[in-house]
Amino acid sequence: MNTAGHPEATARRGLELVPFRGLRYDPDRVGSLAAVTSPPYDVVVRPDGLLHLESADPHNIVRLILPQAATPEARNEQAARTLRRWIAEGVLTPDPEPGLYVYEQRDGDGLLQRGIIGAVRVSDPSERVVLPHEDVMPHVVADRAALMRATCANLEPLLLTYRGDDATAATTTVVERTAEQPPLLSTTTEDGFCHRLWSVTDPDDVARVRAELAGHQALIADGHHRWATYRTLRAEHPSPSPWDHGLVLLVDTVRYPLRVRAIHRLLHGLAVADAVAAVTGGFRVRRLDTPLPRAMDALAEAAEAGNAFLLAGDGAFHLVDRPDPGLLARTVPADRPEAWRTLDATVLHATLLAHVWHVPDDSAAHVSYIHDTAATVEKAERDGGTAVLMHPVREEVVRDLARQGVTMPRKSTSFGPKPASGLVLRALDL
């Protein structure tokens, strides 16, 4: 989100990006760079995806971002020991000098995304420098904070976006010129994405990028819980300290627009038959005996007219739409902008989960959040739960609400492509 050119932007303290010594895998010490990468921790479908990643390579980054042990304390200590061992053994090695990093993702369908990885100053929401657009779950923030404390590291970058313009011409030039050079690494992951990484260590280039981004603010596209974790840990350490900054990928979405996808819900302990019975009367419900792609097309069509959801888990799909206005008036808070009140995620959490189904939305024991559509349906059918499939919200709605300081319900959006975890880490004690 760009504020350059507006009077209030020049007075505001903007993004402060600093170089760091990246911690990276030595390609001679691992099977392949692709085999040690992972999607962000909250995108990994557990347990299936976790086991797949663990078996891909004994040094897969998932052993740090999602360590497995009997207790949270044991998990975090295990991750810390693993990180220290990998550094001591040379599996992970620090780059010789601090720098920013240009990161590129490209798929076979023509999508190209480039951005800059660096350590950005951790700011409070009141500063309006880094804008959140979703609520967070305190227990997830506490879990991530405990892991970062134990490892003393930022293990994966979160994704921030800014709106580039003429005032960021030098930054664009640095990114594009750097991408013409031989990369530090290049690998293609099993999802078909090619990832390339370069370091930017020239003092003049780093200074230009830092100066230009200081006039901008950013929107959190992915990583709200990690940003809240950065803020928690910064508050625990007297400034100045390495905790004043957190690892991020910054993407100019004027030049490289992101994809916006939905995050689906898996309701544990609620059978589809019970979910459908409870919602009938307050919504229109139609059974669809069609394949998943056609059912998602029907959801998209229904979403054009208003709130719509697709329930699954019993071998069929149930399209739920046209909510009763009186039901919404009774259950959706009226003290927020209309754009917030009419969000599918708002209606799902305020009306369906809280009022109709009586399912708490703040515990993994009741609700799982899954990015992959087919995986959500499969897990619902296997576990006897209810999959609630969502239609993505438009990016402009997200930005408008963020500008107003209004946060959306947690896990309302999935911006991508997301940076792969494992390509560059930030150890705070280097």
Side-chain angles (χ1 to χ4, degrees), residues 143-406:
D143 175 75
R144 290 292 101 185
L147 178 63
M148 286 192 203
R149 283 192 207 97
T151 58
C152 197
N154 299 153
L155 299 172
E156 48 185 345
L158 54 86
L159 176 59
L160 303 183
T161 71
Y162 68 99
R163 304 290 289 175
D165 57 11
D166 292 342
T168 56
T171 300
T172 299
T173 298
V174 169
V175 170
E176 302 305 324
R177 186 183 69 233
T178 301
E180 295 174 355
Q181 307 301 314
L184 291 174
L185 65 85
S186 178
T187 188
T188 300
T189 46
E190 63 181 11
D191 59 4
F193 271 90
C194 176
H195 307 262
R196 298 200 296 169
L197 189 77
W198 299 261
S199 63
V200 178
T201 57
D202 179 81
D204 290 338
D205 285 344
V206 171
R208 290 187 190 100
V209 171
R210 295 187 65 192
E212 287 188 344
L213 293 180
H216 281 64
Q217 61 182 178
L219 176 75
I220 301 176
D222 185 70
H224 283 81
H225 289 90
R226 281 167 285 167
W227 182 255
T229 298
Y230 289 168
R231 293 183 54 236
T232 296
L233 295 173
R234 184 207 59 183
E236 294 176 359
H237 297 82
S239 185
S241 83
W243 300 99
D244 290 343
H245 295 80
L247 186 63
V248 304
L249 166 64
L250 274 162
V251 173
D252 173 5
T253 52
V254 171
R255 192 168 183 86
Y256 298 108
L258 297 184
R259 293 172 174 169
V260 186
R261 292 176 173 161
I263 302 176
H264 310 298
R265 274 68 168 161
L266 175 60
L267 311 183
H268 307 287
L270 178 65
V272 177
D274 294 334
V276 170
V279 82
T280 300
F283 290 74
R284 181 176 68 169
V285 181
R286 290 174 286 165
R287 180 185 174 98
L288 306 177
D289 291 300
T290 61
L292 176 58
R294 291 183 60 186
M296 292 302 290
D297 289 342
L299 173 63
E301 183 179 349
E304 291 296 320
N307 300 119
F309 311 92
L310 199 62
L311 309 186
D314 62 350
F317 297 99
H318 307 269
L319 184 60
V320 176
D321 65 352
R322 296 188 182 180
D324 173 59
L327 175 63
L328 297 184
R330 294 193 303 273
T331 57
V332 175
D335 60 346
R336 303 286 185 92
E338 182 181 1
W340 182 90
R341 297 197 307 272
T342 56
L343 288 170
D344 287 341
T346 298
V347 173
L348 172 62
H349 285 257
T351 302
L352 288 172
L353 292 179
H355 182 82
V356 176
W357 293 328
H358 305 290
V359 174
D361 67 352
D362 58 353
S363 170
H366 297 100
V367 182
S368 292
Y369 299 84
I370 305 176
H371 294 71
D372 185 270
T373 306
T376 311
V377 175
E378 291 167 6
K379 288 179 70 66
E381 292 178 345
R382 185 173 61 200
D383 301 342
T386 294
V388 183
L389 306 182
M390 309 282 288
H391 184 68
V393 65
R394 299 191 313 278
E395 182 179 0
E396 57 265 29
V397 173
V398 176
R399 290 190 177 278
D400 286 345
L401 287 173
R403 286 192 184 102
Q404 298 176 56
V406 177

Side-chain angles (χ1 to χ4, degrees), residues 51-67:
L51 295 174
H52 173 71
L53 291 165
E54 285 182 331
S55 62
D57 188 285
H59 300 108
N60 189 284
I61 190 68
V62 77
R63 297 180 185 275
L64 299 182
I65 63 174
L66 288 173

Side-chain angles (χ1 to χ4, degrees), residues 100-123:
L100 302 175
Y101 295 82
V102 171
Y103 175 48
E104 176 188 280
Q105 294 163 278
R106 186 190 299 265
D107 71 2
D109 297 326
L111 182 144
L112 173 65
Q113 177 174 290
R114 289 176 179 149
I116 294 180
I117 294 177
V120 76
R121 182 181 69 89
V122 179
S123 56

